[in-house]
Amino acid sequence: MAGRKQPQTTAAATGAITSSQPQVAAGDANDIARMVEDLDAMLSRLRLGAIRDQLDGLLEEAAQRNWNLREALAWLCAAEVASKEQRRLAMAMTIAHFPCVRTLEGFEFEAQPSIDPGKIRDLATCRWVANGDNVVLLGPPGVGKTHLEVALGREAVTRGYSVQFTTAMELLGSLVKGQQQGTLEVRLAQYAKPRLLIIDELGYLPLEPEAGHLFFQLISRRYEQGSVLISSNRPVEEWDEVFGDQVVAAAILDRLLHHSHVVTIRGDSYRLREKRRSGLFRLQAGGSSSAGSSGSSPPPPAELA
Ligand code: ADP
Ligand code: MG
């Protein structure tokens, strides 16, 4: 650099590494040939697996497009970044433990007019996860609660948030067991960790008497720290029955609903709607469904557990 005083001691004298350039004598064909031979190993060592595996194709393409070295390097790096991002996504999706693959693109909003598509699109931006808000999905069975939970959970994973999907039964079963075995703290910490915890199917099955207190502990711990996306077939007014304790239910709802978005889905079960379409079910006068004769109807759609 012009004007700067050069250091008195040379790198050779101190043994310090002053340059990251490989020690290759200019034009030494043997050295460069050896490095090319070691290229795969060096790329492996640098954990640049995508560049290593696709190198021939990538270089060929770069040559075809007449890119200079900087452009070619950017192209190779972009391939590596894309590959790493894909792997991160796949890993995060696995860790999230979604019970199935469901997407917002696969959700038919026309089938569920009580849902405001704009509201769901807004939730899909995951600003609520960034803010630590909660989402409560309420509605009868089959209206798409689990579908939306998985779809919104996948959006959150895609945006880089840690997500864990569980059912209310699994979660509370684990906490009750933790209490009995003296590992409650570990389990609470585990469920408090993900940025978004999805709790499916609260209210379907009766809970153990101590479940309400344990659930309260978890919700308190996550309060204003991490988001909860919870679904229930029971309106919140009935949660005291769900938890078997009015005071505990009120305390849970107080925290859960403080910064929250509540989506109430009304209407028919999508599963029955599909069956009705296929002729397996007929809508009777009064709106209730009943099994109809359907010897040759196509198989029902794939359902969630
Ligand atoms: P819930 O959790 O409310 O009981 P699910 O989300 O399990 O309902 O929905 C039942 C099945 O119907 C799933 O396979 C789901 O993907 C599908 N489904 C529900 N609603 C819709 C919808 N509006 N568009 C597309 N598929 C739907
Ligand atoms: Mg469900």
Side-chain angles (χ1 to χ4, degrees):
M1 264 165 256
R4 277 243 182 112
K5 213 177 157 195
Q6 291 299 311
Q8 295 300 305
T9 48
T10 62
T14 59
I17 298 167
T18 54
S19 163
S20 56
Q21 280 183 8
Q23 301 301 303
V24 189
D28 188 332
N30 285 339
D31 278 354
I32 196 75
R34 212 172 308 122
M35 279 195 284
V36 170
E37 238 171 66
D38 290 346
L39 184 54
D40 266 18
M42 288 193 284
L43 289 170
S44 300
R45 189 167 162 200
L46 294 170
R47 300 182 200 288
L48 300 172
I51 296 183
R52 182 197 58 213
D53 296 342
Q54 305 167 45
L55 191 60
D56 290 346
L58 290 171
L59 288 180
E60 208 171 291
E61 181 139 10
Q64 266 174 18
R65 299 192 193 197
N66 284 326
W67 282 331
N68 63 30
L69 279 178
R70 185 180 289 271
E71 288 166 338
L73 185 59
W75 165 250
L76 291 173
C77 288
E80 188 63 45
V81 168
S83 153
K84 286 204 166 23
E85 176 59 12
Q86 217 172 20
R87 275 181 41 201
R88 183 199 71 76
L89 259 184
M91 179 64 79
M93 292 288 181
T94 307
I95 290 171
H97 270 110
F98 294 119
C100 55
V101 177
R102 291 292 185 277
T103 60
L104 286 180
E105 296 76 53
F107 193 81
E108 276 180 59
F109 284 98
E110 316 80 63
Q112 219 58 260
S114 66
I115 300 178
D116 172 8
K119 174 81 189 167
I120 303 298
R121 274 201 303 276
D122 190 38
L123 292 176
T125 64
C126 295
R127 267 185 298 125
W128 60 284
V129 182
N131 296 337
D133 295 351
N134 302 320
V135 170
V136 182
L137 285 179
L138 302 169
V143 292
K145 299 186 297 299
T146 304
H147 187 132
L148 289 173
E149 281 172 319
V150 172
L152 291 173
R154 289 174 62 88
E155 292 291 336
V157 169
T158 307
R159 282 169 171 73
Y161 296 109
S162 56
V163 177
Q164 188 182 350
F165 184 105
T166 184
T167 63
M169 281 318 276
E170 187 183 54
L171 168 75
L172 290 165
S174 168
L175 295 183
V176 168
K177 207 164 164 191
Q179 196 178 40
Q180 290 160 355
Q181 298 176 346
T183 56
L184 179 61
E185 189 47 44
V186 180
R187 289 171 195 244
L188 280 172
Q190 178 205 331
Y191 285 115
K193 211 167 149 195
R195 194 64 188 271
L196 169 61
L197 180 67
I198 303 178
I199 307 169
D200 195 22
E201 298 190 338
L202 178 76
Y204 277 84
L205 295 165
L207 301 174
E208 313 240 7
E210 65 270 50
H213 278 282
L214 295 171
F215 195 70
F216 171 71
Q217 285 186 52
L218 177 65
I219 296 300
S220 300
R221 199 168 284 214
R222 293 191 62 89
Y223 180 57
E224 291 184 337
Q225 303 288 328
S227 299
V228 172
L229 167 51
I230 186 165
S231 74
S232 178
N233 60 327
R234 310 274 297 267
V236 290
E237 297 78 32
E238 292 178 14
W239 283 21
D240 46 359
E241 281 171 38
V242 171
F243 290 109
D245 186 320
Q246 212 171 352
V247 177
V248 166
I252 290 169
L253 283 168
D254 179 57
R255 280 153 186 78
L256 202 59
L257 298 180
H258 186 198
H259 303 288
S260 70
H261 309 260
V262 179
V263 178
T264 303
I265 312 174
R266 294 180 189 84
D268 282 350
S269 158
Y270 189 86
R271 295 184 183 105
L272 297 186
R273 185 175 174 273
E274 290 287 290
K275 286 190 172 124
R276 224 175 271 135
R277 265 193 197 160
S278 69
L280 189 61
F281 272 72
R282 274 199 308 266
L283 196 67
Q284 291 184 330
S288 64
S289 300
S290 68
S293 58
S294 71
S296 60
S297 64
E303 293 180 17
L304 303 183

